[in-house]
Amino acid sequence: MSESLPDGVERRAFDGETRLATRGEPVYGEPTDGEWRAWDPERSKLGGMLELEMNTGLTGGETVLYLGAAAGTTVSHVADFAGPTYAVEFAPRPARDLLDAVEPRDRLFPLLKDARKPETYAHVVESDVDVVVQDVATRGQADVAVRNARFLADDGRLLLAVKARSEDVTADPDDVFDDVLDRLRDVYEIRETRRLDRYHEDHLGVVATPR
Ligand code: SAM
Protein backbone atom coordinates (compact mmCIF):
# COMPACT_ATOMS: atom_id res chain seq x y z
CA MET A 1 0.00 0.00 0.00
CA SER A 2 3.05 2.22 0.11
CA GLU A 3 2.20 3.49 -3.40
CA SER A 4 -0.26 6.01 -1.92
CA LEU A 5 2.24 7.23 0.66
CA PRO A 6 4.73 10.05 0.12
CA ASP A 7 8.41 9.21 -0.24
CA GLY A 8 9.81 9.14 3.27
CA VAL A 9 6.66 7.66 4.83
CA GLU A 10 6.49 3.89 5.22
CA ARG A 11 4.41 1.26 6.93
CA ARG A 12 6.72 -0.51 9.36
CA ALA A 13 6.36 -2.94 12.23
CA PHE A 14 6.63 -1.61 15.77
CA ASP A 15 6.24 -4.30 18.44
CA GLY A 16 4.50 -6.52 15.89
CA GLU A 17 2.03 -3.81 14.83
CA THR A 18 2.27 -2.19 11.40
CA ARG A 19 2.23 1.58 11.70
CA LEU A 20 2.95 4.59 9.53
CA ALA A 21 6.43 5.92 10.20
CA THR A 22 8.83 8.69 9.21
CA ARG A 23 12.54 9.10 9.79
CA GLY A 24 13.51 11.70 12.38
CA GLU A 25 14.06 12.49 16.03
CA PRO A 26 11.14 11.42 18.27
CA VAL A 27 8.88 14.21 19.55
CA TYR A 28 5.98 12.87 21.62
CA GLY A 29 7.13 9.60 23.13
CA GLU A 30 6.20 7.64 20.01
CA PRO A 31 7.74 4.16 19.47
CA THR A 32 10.95 4.16 17.47
CA ASP A 33 12.93 1.59 15.54
CA GLY A 34 16.39 2.83 14.64
CA GLU A 35 15.89 6.13 12.87
CA TRP A 36 12.18 5.44 12.20
CA ARG A 37 9.42 6.83 14.44
CA ALA A 38 5.81 5.65 14.47
CA TRP A 39 3.20 8.20 13.33
CA ASP A 40 0.16 7.84 15.60
CA PRO A 41 -3.09 8.51 13.66
CA GLU A 42 -4.96 8.93 16.93
CA ARG A 43 -2.79 11.94 17.69
CA SER A 44 -2.64 13.32 14.16
CA LYS A 45 -5.47 14.17 11.77
CA LEU A 46 -3.12 14.07 8.79
CA GLY A 47 -1.87 10.68 10.02
CA GLY A 48 -5.53 9.57 10.12
CA MET A 49 -6.10 10.85 6.58
CA LEU A 50 -3.10 8.83 5.36
CA GLU A 51 -4.21 5.72 7.28
CA LEU A 52 -7.64 6.03 5.65
CA GLU A 53 -5.86 6.25 2.29
CA MET A 54 -7.27 9.63 1.37
CA ASN A 55 -5.74 10.93 -1.82
CA THR A 56 -3.59 13.63 -0.24
CA GLY A 57 -1.38 13.99 -3.30
CA LEU A 58 1.68 14.12 -1.01
CA THR A 59 4.76 12.76 -2.73
CA GLY A 60 7.54 13.94 -0.40
CA GLY A 61 9.81 16.96 -0.76
CA GLU A 62 7.05 19.53 -1.18
CA THR A 63 6.89 22.98 0.39
CA VAL A 64 4.31 23.04 3.17
CA LEU A 65 2.47 25.72 5.13
CA TYR A 66 1.12 24.05 8.29
CA LEU A 67 -1.58 25.95 10.22
CA GLY A 68 -2.17 24.97 13.85
CA ALA A 69 1.18 23.32 14.59
CA ALA A 70 0.64 23.07 18.37
CA ALA A 71 3.62 21.30 20.00
CA GLY A 72 4.68 19.76 16.70
CA THR A 73 3.26 16.23 16.82
CA THR A 74 2.13 16.17 13.19
CA VAL A 75 4.24 18.92 11.67
CA SER A 76 7.39 17.12 12.85
CA HIS A 77 6.39 14.07 10.79
CA VAL A 78 5.62 16.35 7.84
CA ALA A 79 9.03 18.01 8.09
CA ASP A 80 10.62 14.54 8.16
CA PHE A 81 9.50 13.87 4.56
CA ALA A 82 8.62 17.28 3.09
CA GLY A 83 10.76 20.18 1.94
CA PRO A 84 10.61 23.61 3.64
CA THR A 85 7.80 23.43 6.20
CA TYR A 86 6.41 26.61 7.78
CA ALA A 87 4.65 25.86 11.08
CA VAL A 88 2.14 28.52 12.24
CA GLU A 89 0.95 28.42 15.85
CA PHE A 90 -0.44 31.38 17.81
CA ALA A 91 -0.44 30.03 21.37
CA PRO A 92 2.91 30.68 23.11
CA ARG A 93 2.82 27.57 25.30
CA PRO A 94 2.65 24.89 22.59
CA ALA A 95 4.88 27.06 20.42
CA ARG A 96 7.59 26.74 23.07
CA ASP A 97 7.36 22.94 22.90
CA LEU A 98 7.33 23.17 19.11
CA LEU A 99 10.87 24.53 19.31
CA ASP A 100 12.05 21.14 20.62
CA ALA A 101 10.72 19.51 17.42
CA VAL A 102 12.27 22.27 15.32
CA GLU A 103 15.73 21.99 16.83
CA PRO A 104 16.86 18.78 15.05
CA ARG A 105 14.96 19.64 11.81
CA ASP A 106 16.60 22.12 9.51
CA ARG A 107 13.63 22.32 7.12
CA LEU A 108 11.06 23.21 9.82
CA PHE A 109 10.41 26.92 10.45
CA PRO A 110 8.19 27.94 13.40
CA LEU A 111 6.05 31.09 13.17
CA LEU A 112 4.32 32.43 16.28
CA LYS A 113 1.48 33.92 14.24
CA ASP A 114 -2.30 34.00 13.97
CA ALA A 115 -3.45 31.96 10.97
CA ARG A 116 -6.42 34.35 10.57
CA LYS A 117 -3.91 37.08 9.67
CA PRO A 118 -1.81 35.68 6.81
CA GLU A 119 -0.56 39.17 6.01
CA THR A 120 1.57 38.96 9.19
CA TYR A 121 3.65 36.08 7.78
CA ALA A 122 3.34 36.67 4.02
CA HIS A 123 6.82 38.20 4.01
CA VAL A 124 8.34 34.98 5.43
CA VAL A 125 6.43 32.18 3.72
CA GLU A 126 7.38 31.68 0.11
CA SER A 127 4.52 32.02 -2.34
CA ASP A 128 3.34 29.04 -4.37
CA VAL A 129 3.58 26.48 -1.58
CA ASP A 130 2.61 22.97 -2.69
CA VAL A 131 0.50 22.08 0.33
CA VAL A 132 -1.41 23.88 3.06
CA VAL A 133 -2.16 21.57 5.98
CA GLN A 134 -4.67 22.99 8.44
CA ASP A 135 -5.71 21.74 11.88
CA VAL A 136 -6.64 24.80 13.93
CA ALA A 137 -9.75 23.44 15.71
CA THR A 138 -11.25 26.87 16.31
CA ARG A 139 -14.38 28.63 15.12
CA GLY A 140 -14.03 29.92 11.57
CA GLN A 141 -11.96 27.03 10.19
CA ALA A 142 -13.22 27.62 6.63
CA ASP A 143 -12.30 31.31 6.80
CA VAL A 144 -8.76 30.42 7.85
CA ALA A 145 -8.44 28.08 4.86
CA VAL A 146 -9.88 30.70 2.50
CA ARG A 147 -7.54 33.43 3.75
CA ASN A 148 -4.48 31.19 3.37
CA ALA A 149 -5.36 30.08 -0.16
CA ARG A 150 -3.21 33.02 -1.33
CA PHE A 151 -0.07 30.99 -0.56
CA LEU A 152 -1.01 27.93 -2.63
CA ALA A 153 0.43 27.21 -6.06
CA ASP A 154 -2.24 26.79 -8.76
CA ASP A 155 -1.71 23.01 -8.65
CA GLY A 156 -1.30 22.96 -4.85
CA ARG A 157 -3.50 21.25 -2.30
CA LEU A 158 -5.31 22.03 0.91
CA LEU A 159 -5.32 19.14 3.42
CA LEU A 160 -7.79 20.22 6.06
CA ALA A 161 -9.15 18.65 9.23
CA VAL A 162 -12.44 20.23 10.35
CA LYS A 163 -13.52 19.79 13.94
CA ALA A 164 -17.31 20.11 14.06
CA ARG A 165 -17.50 20.96 17.75
CA SER A 166 -15.16 23.92 17.32
CA GLU A 167 -17.76 25.54 15.07
CA ASP A 168 -20.87 24.66 17.06
CA VAL A 169 -21.03 22.21 19.98
CA THR A 170 -24.77 21.65 19.63
CA ALA A 171 -25.17 21.34 15.85
CA ASP A 172 -25.24 18.08 13.90
CA PRO A 173 -21.65 17.61 12.66
CA ASP A 174 -22.91 16.88 9.13
CA ASP A 175 -24.62 20.28 9.01
CA VAL A 176 -21.43 21.95 10.24
CA PHE A 177 -19.37 20.14 7.59
CA ASP A 178 -21.84 21.20 4.85
CA ASP A 179 -21.50 24.85 5.90
CA VAL A 180 -17.70 24.63 5.99
CA LEU A 181 -17.56 23.00 2.55
CA ASP A 182 -19.90 25.66 1.11
CA ARG A 183 -17.62 28.41 2.34
CA LEU A 184 -14.51 26.62 1.05
CA ARG A 185 -16.09 26.42 -2.42
CA ASP A 186 -15.65 30.20 -2.76
CA VAL A 187 -11.99 29.57 -3.54
CA TYR A 188 -11.45 25.79 -3.55
CA GLU A 189 -12.56 22.79 -5.53
CA ILE A 190 -13.37 19.97 -3.08
CA ARG A 191 -11.62 16.78 -4.23
CA GLU A 192 -12.35 14.36 -1.41
CA THR A 193 -13.93 14.31 2.04
CA ARG A 194 -13.85 11.58 4.63
CA ARG A 195 -15.03 11.35 8.22
CA LEU A 196 -12.04 10.74 10.48
CA ASP A 197 -14.11 9.27 13.32
CA ARG A 198 -12.11 6.06 13.50
CA TYR A 199 -9.30 8.22 14.93
CA HIS A 200 -10.87 11.62 15.67
CA GLU A 201 -14.52 11.93 16.63
CA ASP A 202 -16.63 14.41 14.66
CA HIS A 203 -13.79 15.48 12.40
CA LEU A 204 -13.90 15.68 8.61
CA GLY A 205 -10.81 15.28 6.44
CA VAL A 206 -10.90 17.43 3.30
CA VAL A 207 -8.65 17.46 0.25
CA ALA A 208 -9.17 20.53 -1.94
CA THR A 209 -7.42 22.39 -4.74
CA PRO A 210 -7.50 26.11 -5.58
CA ARG A 211 -10.15 27.13 -8.10
N1 SAM B 1 -2.02 20.00 14.34
C1 SAM B 1 -1.55 19.65 15.66
C2 SAM B 1 -0.95 18.27 15.60
O1 SAM B 1 -1.54 17.37 15.00
O2 SAM B 1 0.13 18.07 16.12
C3 SAM B 1 -2.66 19.77 16.68
C4 SAM B 1 -3.35 21.09 16.55
S1 SAM B 1 -4.52 21.49 17.81
C5 SAM B 1 -5.88 20.48 17.44
C6 SAM B 1 -5.02 23.05 17.24
C7 SAM B 1 -3.94 24.11 17.39
O3 SAM B 1 -4.31 25.22 16.57
C8 SAM B 1 -3.80 24.64 18.80
O4 SAM B 1 -2.45 24.52 19.22
C9 SAM B 1 -4.21 26.10 18.69
O5 SAM B 1 -3.48 26.97 19.55
C10 SAM B 1 -3.91 26.38 17.24
N2 SAM B 1 -4.68 27.51 16.67
C11 SAM B 1 -6.00 27.72 16.79
N3 SAM B 1 -6.36 28.84 16.15
C12 SAM B 1 -5.22 29.34 15.60
C13 SAM B 1 -4.92 30.49 14.82
N4 SAM B 1 -5.89 31.34 14.46
N5 SAM B 1 -3.65 30.69 14.45
C14 SAM B 1 -2.66 29.82 14.81
N6 SAM B 1 -2.87 28.73 15.55
C15 SAM B 1 -4.14 28.48 15.94
Side-chain angles (χ1 to χ4, degrees), residues 28 39-40 43-47 66-77 88-92 94-95 111-117 121 133-140 144 161 163 166 200 203:
Y28 52 102
W39 187 347
D40 185 349
R43 297 189 57 176
S44 169
K45 282 81 180 203
L46 184 61
Y66 191 107
L67 307 172
T73 300
T74 300
V75 79
S76 62
H77 285 293
V88 175
E89 171 55 55
F90 76 170
L111 297 167
L112 185 60
K113 297 288 183 188
D114 185 337
R116 292 167 299 189
K117 299 175 183 163
Y121 47 88
V133 180
Q134 180 183 317
D135 177 22
V136 293
T138 48
R139 205 179 173 89
V144 170
K163 181 176 181 178
S166 295
H200 302 276
H203 282 70

Side-chain angles (χ1 to χ4, degrees), residues 19-78:
R19 319 262 306 260
L20 289 178
T22 63
R23 255 178 306 201
E25 291 294 316
V27 169
Y28 52 102
E30 66 278 26
T32 58
D33 178 13
E35 56 186 358
W36 290 90
R37 49 193 291 255
W39 187 347
D40 185 349
E42 297 194 342
R43 297 189 57 176
S44 169
K45 282 81 180 203
L46 184 61
M49 290 168 73
L50 289 170
E51 281 288 5
L52 293 168
E53 298 188 0
M54 289 187 74
N55 187 11
T56 62
L58 290 167
T59 55
E62 46 272 279
T63 304
V64 178
L65 173 61
Y66 191 107
L67 307 172
T73 300
T74 300
V75 79
S76 62
H77 285 293
V78 172

Side-chain angles (χ1 to χ4, degrees), residues 163-190:
K163 181 176 181 178
R165 274 181 284 136
S166 295
E167 299 294 334
D168 186 335
V169 275
T170 58
D172 181 337
D174 284 331
D175 294 337
V176 172
F177 297 144
D178 284 347
D179 289 347
V180 167
L181 293 174
D182 276 348
R183 172 77 175 111
L184 289 177
R185 286 191 185 95
D186 288 346
V187 297
Y188 291 103
E189 197 90 51
I190 308 300

